[in-house]
């Protein structure tokens, strides 16, 4: 077997699978008049199928409100299925989906033949319009009563519940914008359909050419003089000859039907690229994922990993700034340097739940991290507190000491005595009063990190933010 041919088929299969899955970001909140939800006739027909299936008009009204107020998150559409998470009254959203029968291969053949035979149908589809004659043809495209099968992970047994109804209302807006979404629900992607229609149109043209042969020489281009006649290639002029840029074809030769691409694009001025859009003021938040049984991942962990990736990307884009006068960008350093696995795990844990309070979620997170790294949950909690206090430097001061040079560290004791604060005993980069259980640690960033412990023990915990002034750091520590 030819490996190149096998690789080409695999690539084509991947493209086909990608073409049969479309994901739409959350639609904006619908404002203005509260009239018809769908704007096109085919979007209205979609909602008619929903309303004739619904058993409770009150649930439909609540679903309409959910859709209008933006409760439906990202929507994914594949053949026969529409899936989205819908935020209700609980913290975790529900997973709603709508099922619709796909067309058989025989039905697709008939539909594609109809489109190929009527150029107006394809023209309308490319203009994002659904021809009524095509939708009402032998192969029915729009759903009828009972064709939409709603499902939802919520405890409501309504058919549909308000979450599935909200999803249906938002899909009507997608159909308004692009009827190819309906064709994808019925089983075929847009690129796949256009390629197949191109093949059928070529075959249809070839059949018509055999039935109605055309003249061998097309008429000359309109215009006076011999130049217009020379510019018209003919089938009788012999084989096509390539023409170099800037040169004219010799009389009696042909450049084929049209102009060679290399000639048309040679030395063609290209407009400059538009300036990049400014970075948003804050990174976006990923949608909340619903709970589910048997998933190969933890939804909460995936959520905060996605939020962290968005925050890091936003910081990198913001640090890049705008291009200079010459179009180049200044060299920048990454705001997120590479960290060892333990430090990066602490960073993620500290930023996933930035509040200091322990909840059942943070306790479970600490236990999982401790088990994965061979540490205790106390080690994890202490390290998270150190990271929140000072980032990488705060974490480094937790377990390591160093000997600062003469200067700020030596002057700190005099400043504390002058402020009538307790005298602290120096050791390495620590100033400690073990009787009171207070300590200041001097960092390499020239900031003071307050710690406290139970008097008479050596169980030191980071307490409060770092301060460049030792008097301010100790005053805040004593005030606790």
């Amino acid at each position: 077997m030819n490996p190149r041919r096998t690789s080409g088929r695999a690539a084509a299969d991947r493209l086909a699978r990608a073409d049969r899955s479309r994901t739409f970001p959350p639609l904006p909140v619908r404002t203005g008049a509260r009239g018809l939800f769908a704007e096109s006739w085919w979007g209205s027909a979609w909602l008619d199928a929903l309303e004739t299936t619904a058993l409770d008009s009150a649930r439909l009204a609540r679903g309409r409100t959910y859709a209008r107020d933006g409760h439906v998150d990202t929507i994914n559409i594949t053949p026969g299925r529409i899936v989205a998470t819908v935020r209700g009254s609980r913290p975790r959203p529900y997973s709603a989906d709508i099922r619709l029968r796909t067309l058989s291969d025989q039905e697709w053949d008939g539909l594609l033949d109809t489109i190929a035979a009527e150029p107006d149908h394809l023209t309308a589809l490319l203009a994002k319009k659904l021809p009524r004659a095509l939708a009402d043809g032998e192969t029915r495209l729009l759903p009828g009563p009972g064709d939409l099968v709603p499902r939802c992970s919520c405890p409501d047994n309504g058919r549909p519940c308000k979450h599935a109804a909200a999803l249906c209302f938002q899909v009507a807006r997608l159909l308004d914008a692009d009827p190819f979404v309906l064709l994808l629900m019925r089983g075929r992607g847009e690129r796949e359909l256009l390629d197949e229609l191109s093949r059928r149109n070529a075959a249809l043209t070839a059949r018509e050419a055999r039935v109605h042969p055309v003249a061998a020489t097309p008429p000359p281009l309109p215009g006076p003089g011999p130049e217009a006649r020379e510019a018209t290639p003919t089938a009788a002029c012999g084989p096509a000859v390539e023409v170099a840029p800037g040169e004219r074809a010799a009389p009696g030769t042909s450049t084929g039907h049209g102009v060679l691409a290399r000639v048309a694009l040679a030395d063609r001025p290209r407009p400059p690229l538009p300036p990049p859009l400014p970075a948003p003021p804050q990174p976006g938040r990923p949608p909340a994922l619903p709970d589910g049984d048997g998933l190969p991942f933890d939804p909460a962990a995936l959520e905060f990993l996605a939020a962290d990736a968005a925050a890091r990307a936003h910081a990198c884009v913001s640090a890049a700034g705008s291009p200079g006068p010459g179009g180049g960008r200044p060299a920048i350093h990454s705001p997120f340097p590479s960290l060892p696995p333990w430090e990066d795990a602490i960073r993620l844990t500290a930023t996933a739940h930035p509040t200091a309070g322990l909840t059942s979620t943070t306790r479970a997170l600490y236990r999982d991290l401790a088990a994965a790294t061979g540490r205790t949950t106390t080690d994890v909690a202490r390290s998270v507190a150190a990271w929140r206090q000072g980032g990488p430097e705060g974490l480094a001061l937790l377990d390591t000491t160093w000997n600062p040079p003469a200067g700020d560290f030596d002057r700190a004791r005099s400043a504390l005595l002058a402020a009538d604060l307790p005298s602290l005993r120096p050791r390495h980069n620590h100033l400690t009063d073990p009787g009171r259980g207070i300590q200041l640690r001097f960092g390499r960033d020239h900031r003071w990190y307050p710690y406290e412990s139970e008097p008479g023990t050596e169980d030191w915990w980071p307490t409060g933010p770092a301060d460049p002034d030792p008097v301010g750091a100790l005053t805040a520590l004593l005030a606790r």
Side-chain angles (χ1 to χ4, degrees), residues 286-299:
L289 299 176
D291 290 323
D293 297 329
L295 295 176
F297 59 87
D298 179 12

Side-chain angles (χ1 to χ4, degrees), residues 22-71:
R22 292 182 65 179
T23 301
F24 299 89
L27 296 175
V29 175
R30 195 180 184 99
T31 58
R34 308 180 71 85
L36 294 175
F37 207 88
E39 298 177 356
S40 64
W41 74 264
W42 55 93
S44 298
W46 169 271
L47 293 182
D48 288 342
L50 167 69
E51 292 167 356
T52 55
T53 304
L55 302 178
D56 185 356
S57 59
R59 286 188 174 91
L60 277 185
R62 289 195 294 271
R64 184 190 186 98
T65 302
Y66 270 26
R68 188 182 297 278
D69 294 343
H71 284 242

Side-chain angles (χ1 to χ4, degrees), residues 282-308:
Q282 298 292 333
R285 297 292 302 176
L289 299 176
D291 290 323
D293 297 329
L295 295 176
F297 59 87
D298 179 12
L302 184 60
E303 282 175 26
F304 88 73
L305 285 175
D308 177 70

Side-chain angles (χ1 to χ4, degrees), residues 40 50 117 124 128 203 277 280 288 360 367 383 403 412 422 429 444 465:
S40 64
L50 167 69
K128 305 305 180 183
L277 295 174
S360 59
R367 286 196 301 270
S383 299
N403 294 316
N429 61 319
R444 297 179 188 272

Side-chain angles (χ1 to χ4, degrees), residues 62 66-67 70-73 84-96 152-155 161-164 166 288 290:
R62 289 195 294 271
Y66 270 26
H71 284 242
V72 181
D73 290 327
T85 53
V86 182
R87 287 173 280 109
S89 57
R90 297 184 180 181
R92 285 283 176 188
Y94 298 108
S95 178
C152 186
S153 61
C154 74
C161 66
K162 55 182 177 289
H163 311 104

